[in-house]
Amino acid sequence: MHKIIYITILAFFCLVLPAKSAEYNYSSADSITYQLFIQGNWNKLIQTGNEILKQNIDFKTLQQRIGYAWFMKENYLMSRWHYSKALKFDTTDEITNVYLYYTGLYTGDESFMRYYAGRLNDEDKKALKIKPFRWVDAVDVEYNYKTGYVSYSRSAPNYYRLGVNTQLGYRLSLYQTASTFSQTFYSTTNVVQNEYYALLSWNPVANLSLHTGYHFLGSTVDGTNYNAHMFYGKAAYKYHIFDGSLSASSYTNSTDTYNQIGFHLGVTIPEFKNLYLSAAVDTLFGTGLVTTFSAGFAPIKSLWFSAYIAQGKQINYVNMNGIYVYNSSDYATSKIGASLFWYATKNLTLYSNYSYEEKNITEFVTDPYYQHSITGGIIWKF
């Protein structure tokens, strides 16, 4: 009877008390993780690798093996994190650089991918068909149509845009886009606006990108021309699952100058279908704040869905890296919307956006009106 009680108590403590972690040295850590790597036991490799790291044992192949395990589980941000750690032991290691290139490719991080493409040897560049210069790297086309409840004073506007991206090197790119907008006010006043925008982007290091842009806006109102200019700058940085940016712009029309400073912070949670949460605050001097909150995720591998809400007076508001300048006389005070991206093939991406907007008429009308905005676009990657 006493023997049965003793065995029962011993079994209870074995179940309740946490098991002591194995003690590792460099040799055993290398041997065990190598065997798990050969077996393809990715979950156990990640678990064991993390236990080894907690014991202050760290070396290049350990980080590579953990990075590869995350890569095989399609968690590319965690894979990037460990391959970046491996890079600190040997910056020229080709395997590390190749997989950092792939983590950029599979997360859609073009600048990160191109940075590490430039570090590969000539043989791998040739096999992956990587070129330092590509005059036409990608082309995008989009169309926007708006409809609302002020048909007596505003026609439904039309907006067309064409963009071309040029790779000037592994770390330098130039994006150019031209667009046209047209609308009629009170059935008599015709408004046409033609625009050109150029954005130069440079990656001095893998996780830091610097951008500078110029936007020309040429408006014609019943035959009279009005020109405006916008200058844009942005610095963006990524750290593991976090990203942040600081931007500034200055928009000048024929009567005044409008300055804007923006701050953005985002986080990706790969375990939840790459859930991405972000918040942005833009200060429009003389107008106030515009706050934007968004969330996005990948319901399946080839789709990306996001939703957002923006609040604040968007008077001459600069958005989307300076591509859009909302300089209409009717300004929005709130927007709620959603976007869907479908990565149909390796080269083709289709996207759509819908937003519901509250806008204000400037001609002595106190009540706002509401409009639906629908955008469709195509991106072709060469």
Side-chain angles (χ1 to χ4, degrees):
M1 183 66 179
H2 291 87
K3 186 176 181 179
I4 295 174
I5 295 173
Y6 173 77
I7 294 173
T8 302
I9 294 173
L10 181 62
F12 172 78
F13 278 101
C14 287
L15 291 172
V16 173
L17 294 177
K20 185 179 180 180
S21 298
E23 296 292 333
Y24 297 96
N25 55 38
Y26 177 89
S27 179
S28 62
D30 184 44
S31 176
I32 291 171
T33 56
Y34 177 74
Q35 290 300 318
L36 293 172
F37 178 82
I38 295 299
Q39 296 167 10
N41 191 342
W42 311 127
N43 290 329
K44 185 64 175 177
L45 174 53
I46 292 169
Q47 179 186 350
T48 304
N50 288 331
E51 290 174 359
I52 293 169
L53 291 172
K54 288 178 182 178
Q55 296 180 25
N56 295 319
I57 300 171
D58 195 6
F59 49 93
K60 181 179 74 172
T61 51
L62 172 63
Q63 294 287 359
Q64 287 177 322
R65 290 164 189 165
I66 301 173
Y68 188 79
W70 281 117
F71 190 90
M72 295 304 292
K73 289 170 65 66
E74 299 185 353
N75 190 329
Y76 301 115
L77 285 180
M78 287 301 298
S79 178
R80 176 188 298 187
W81 177 254
H82 286 282
Y83 275 114
S84 296
K85 296 288 186 181
L87 198 68
K88 294 180 179 179
F89 292 94
D90 182 2
T91 59
T92 63
D93 188 281
E94 189 69 8
I95 293 174
T96 300
N97 284 302
V98 164
Y99 278 99
L100 285 170
Y101 165 84
Y102 276 120
T103 60
L105 177 65
Y106 293 144
T107 55
D109 192 338
E110 180 82 11
S111 60
F112 187 92
M113 179 191 74
R114 291 284 300 176
Y115 179 89
Y116 282 101
R119 298 169 65 100
L120 302 181
N121 61 38
D122 292 338
E123 183 179 347
D124 281 329
K125 288 177 183 176
K126 184 177 180 180
L128 294 168
K129 299 180 180 180
I130 297 171
K131 297 180 180 180
F133 298 96
R134 192 185 293 271
W135 295 114
V136 181
D137 175 66
V139 173
D140 62 287
V141 180
E142 77 174 29
Y143 170 71
N144 174 266
Y145 179 80
K146 301 180 188 293
T147 181
Y149 300 104
V150 288
S151 57
Y152 67 91
S153 64
R154 305 286 192 270
S155 70
N158 289 282
Y159 175 82
Y160 302 86
R161 190 179 64 80
L162 170 66
V164 178
N165 191 63
T166 300
Q167 294 292 353
L168 299 175
Y170 291 116
R171 304 185 189 184
L172 190 66
S173 66
L174 174 65
Y175 179 74
Q176 300 177 84
T177 183
S179 61
T180 184
F181 171 91
S182 60
Q183 189 176 27
T184 301
F185 284 26
Y186 295 103
S187 302
T188 57
T189 303
N190 296 314
V191 177
V192 176
Q193 181 166 282
N194 296 315
E195 305 177 30
Y196 168 78
Y197 180 59
L199 181 70
L200 187 66
S201 301
W202 176 50
N203 272 68
V205 295
N207 292 315
L208 174 66
S209 58
L210 303 176
H211 312 266
T212 182
Y214 167 72
H215 200 139
F216 171 78
L217 305 94
S219 302
T220 302
V221 181
D222 283 344
T224 302
N225 297 325
Y226 302 91
N227 294 335
H229 309 268
M230 190 278 292
F231 295 92
Y232 180 82
K234 177 181 176 181
Y237 185 76
K238 301 182 181 71
Y239 180 78
H240 194 17
I241 62 174
F242 301 98
D243 66 274
S245 67
L246 182 66
S247 63
S249 65
S250 182
Y251 168 82
T252 302
N253 58 24
S254 58
T255 60
D256 210 345
T257 296
Y258 300 84
N259 297 317
Q260 176 180 323
I261 292 178
F263 176 76
H264 165 270
L265 182 64
V267 59
T268 300
I269 306 174
E271 294 80 6
F272 295 95
K273 296 185 179 293
N274 287 309
L275 175 66
Y276 181 71
L277 305 173
S278 71
V281 178
D282 291 286
T283 300
L284 282 63
F285 292 94
T287 302
L289 299 179
V290 175
T291 57
T292 305
F293 300 94
S294 66
F297 71 104
I300 61 176
K301 195 171 183 179
S302 61
L303 289 180
W304 177 259
F305 174 82
S306 63
Y308 60 90
I309 182 170
Q311 298 286 337
K313 288 185 178 181
Q314 297 164 42
I315 300 175
N316 298 312
Y317 176 54
V318 176
N319 195 20
M320 290 294 291
N321 288 337
I323 293 177
Y324 304 118
V325 179
Y326 296 100
N327 65 333
S328 170
S329 58
D330 295 355
Y331 62 89
T333 52
S334 70
K335 291 183 182 180
I336 183 169
S339 299
L340 182 66
F341 285 78
W342 176 36
Y343 307 100
T345 68
K346 179 182 177 181
N347 304 98
L348 177 64
T349 300
L350 304 176
Y351 66 91
S352 62
N353 175 270
Y354 167 79
S355 65
Y356 183 68
E357 306 170 355
E358 179 184 279
K359 302 198 73 174
N360 289 264
I361 300 177
T362 56
E363 295 116 38
F364 309 106
V365 178
T366 57
D367 295 329
Y369 68 92
Y370 301 89
Q371 70 177 16
H372 307 274
S373 176
I374 302 170
T375 301
I378 301 172
I379 302 172
W380 182 263
K381 178 77 172 177
F382 289 90

